[in-house]
Each structure stands twice: as structure tokens, then as C-alpha cells.
Amino acid sequence: EDAQLEGRVDFAVHSLKDVPTVLPDGLELVAYLERADPRDAWLSSGPGLGDLPAGATVGTTSLRRIAQVLAARPDLEVKDLRGNVDTRLRKLREGAFDAILLAMAGLVRLGRADEVTEPLDARTFVPAPGQGTITLECRSDDRAVREAVAPLNHDATARAVSAERSFLATLGGGCNVPLGGHAVPADGGLELVGFVARTDGSELLRGERTGSDPVALGRGLAEDLLGRGAGAFLEG
């Protein structure tokens, strides 16, 4: 972003999941590529989430994933999993974990999707806002670049992730907090599913809402969860 503001580069390419909801003055997101598979991937020697024996170890560093795993299976043990994709897969093969969680989009892009035991349903195991989406960022006053990248924008993706990021922004969450939000087209508008949880999975607030205005939809669902006590989870 410094390089953009200083004029050393014309635009930046980001994984949207990792982009803050508040950008520096003078920069904006100007295109969203068509979304890849947004689901989380479950990888194990065979058993699914519901089939692991009590006390089995699951590897992930994501608070969102930890909360959802423990909400569904409080009898499992979640351990920190770090390293690049190859390192994480090697740790699973070597038996350091009974199962691990990764993003489907990344595995597909690396040609490793055949190693996935099960892609987890996005309505049940909710992804991070923007997961699977590549976005382009440029200077707000650079009309030439904006026009050049405009054909890359995928409108359906843009609408969906706008709802998800509005949900995230209203909650005030960052990229590694125990919350998830995922929007899909529905009845001429969008359906947004979201949750906020305690990191240990002991409490999880979930909501669903439909609407035609992505920003209002995300804000409305977030306000609903905040009204039900989600703020205390985020502060914790």
C-alpha cells in the first residue's frame, strides 16, 4: 500500500480474506475476481468431523475454525498448526494431527484438492468473510488503472463479498477473530449466514438474513447478533 501511495506500483493483488475493512486514505478495492471455492477443507486419514474419536487432535491456527470445531465436538483437542501448505500436509501424514483444516481455494490453486477428505458445507461450517476471493486495490484517483481492471470484476462475487465485509466491519472484527460470514445469491438478492462465537466454542451465536442491498444486509445481520450479545464474545 505504501508503494501504491508513493506511485511505485499501479495496483496490488490481495487475498480478500486478509484485507482490513478500513483502507488507507487514497486507496480502494476496485475489482473482485470470480470467487474460487470458499469452503473449508477437512483433511484426515479418513474420518470426518463427526466420526473422529474423542480426544483426537485437529490442527488449525484460525480462531474461527477452532470455535466451530469445538462447538460441534467439544471432546476434540485443537492444536496450533503453522507452516506453508506442504508443511501442514506433511504434519498430518506424519501423524502429528488426526485431522487438519485448510482453505479449499488454496488447495485447488496448488493442485492439491485430491488430498481433501471432505469440503465442509459453507452453511454449516461458515467461511471467513471474503474467503476464496482475489481482489485488486489501486489509488482512488487513478482513473486509467480503474478502467483497465474493470473488466476483471465479477459482479456476483462483488455483491456477495460486499455483504460479508459489511457484516465484518459492523462487528469490528479483524481477519482472525471467532466469526464467519458467507453470502450466496437467493431470490433475486442475497442470503447471508453469519456467526460469532467464543473461541472455546462454548457459545456460538448464529443468524441468517436475506436482502437486496449487500451493505445493508451485512450491517443488519451484524446488528442482530450484537443485540443478542455478540459484542461480549468479540471483546473476550
Side-chain angles (χ1 to χ4, degrees):
E1 289 180 328
D2 287 341
Q4 290 178 83
L5 291 170
E6 294 167 5
R8 292 186 283 117
V9 300
D10 294 309
F11 66 92
V13 182
H14 300 295
S15 174
L16 182 61
K17 179 178 68 68
D18 301 322
V19 177
T21 55
V22 178
L23 301 178
D25 289 341
L27 296 179
E28 61 182 280
L29 303 181
V30 292
Y32 303 91
L33 278 62
E34 184 173 3
R35 188 178 225 162
D37 192 331
R39 294 175 294 177
D40 287 298
W42 178 265
L43 299 96
S44 74
S45 60
L49 175 59
D51 302 319
L52 281 179
T57 58
V58 178
T60 180
T61 57
S62 162
L63 299 184
R64 173 185 61 83
R65 289 171 176 153
I66 292 170
Q68 292 186 97
V69 167
L70 293 178
R73 290 290 309 274
D75 58 326
L76 298 179
E77 182 178 359
V78 180
K79 292 185 176 180
D80 197 37
L81 173 64
R82 297 191 180 275
N84 61 30
V85 169
D86 284 337
T87 298
R88 297 182 188 205
L89 291 173
R90 187 185 72 249
K91 289 179 178 179
L92 174 64
R93 289 194 300 271
E94 292 175 349
F97 302 92
D98 295 300
I100 63 173
L101 285 158
L102 298 172
M104 276 299 302
L107 291 166
V108 169
R109 289 172 182 143
L110 292 171
R112 310 292 292 268
D114 59 342
E115 299 182 50
V116 175
T117 304
E118 177 189 9
L120 299 177
D121 181 74
R123 285 184 58 85
T124 305
F125 202 93
V126 185
Q131 188 161 311
T133 303
I134 298 297
T135 188
L136 305 183
E137 179 188 40
C138 82
R139 292 183 294 277
S140 303
D141 61 0
D142 196 333
R143 181 176 177 180
V145 170
R146 293 169 63 93
E147 291 178 352
V149 302
L152 299 174
N153 187 64
H154 187 257
D155 185 65
T157 297
R159 285 177 51 78
V161 299
S162 293
E164 295 164 16
R165 284 174 63 78
S166 174
F167 173 73
L168 178 63
T170 304
L171 290 170
C175 64
N176 197 30
V177 294
L179 66 82
H182 183 60
V184 295
D187 299 325
L190 292 168
E191 179 185 60
L192 175 64
V193 177
F195 83 91
V196 180
R198 296 197 184 278
T199 307
D200 63 3
S202 59
E203 293 182 82
L204 187 149
L205 292 174
R206 175 187 170 95
E208 301 175 14
R209 182 172 289 214
T210 58
S212 58
D213 182 323
V215 174
L217 176 60
R219 183 173 58 245
L221 181 56
E223 289 173 346
D224 174 57
L225 294 183
L226 288 170
R228 292 160 54 192
F233 296 4
L234 296 170
E235 291 169 6

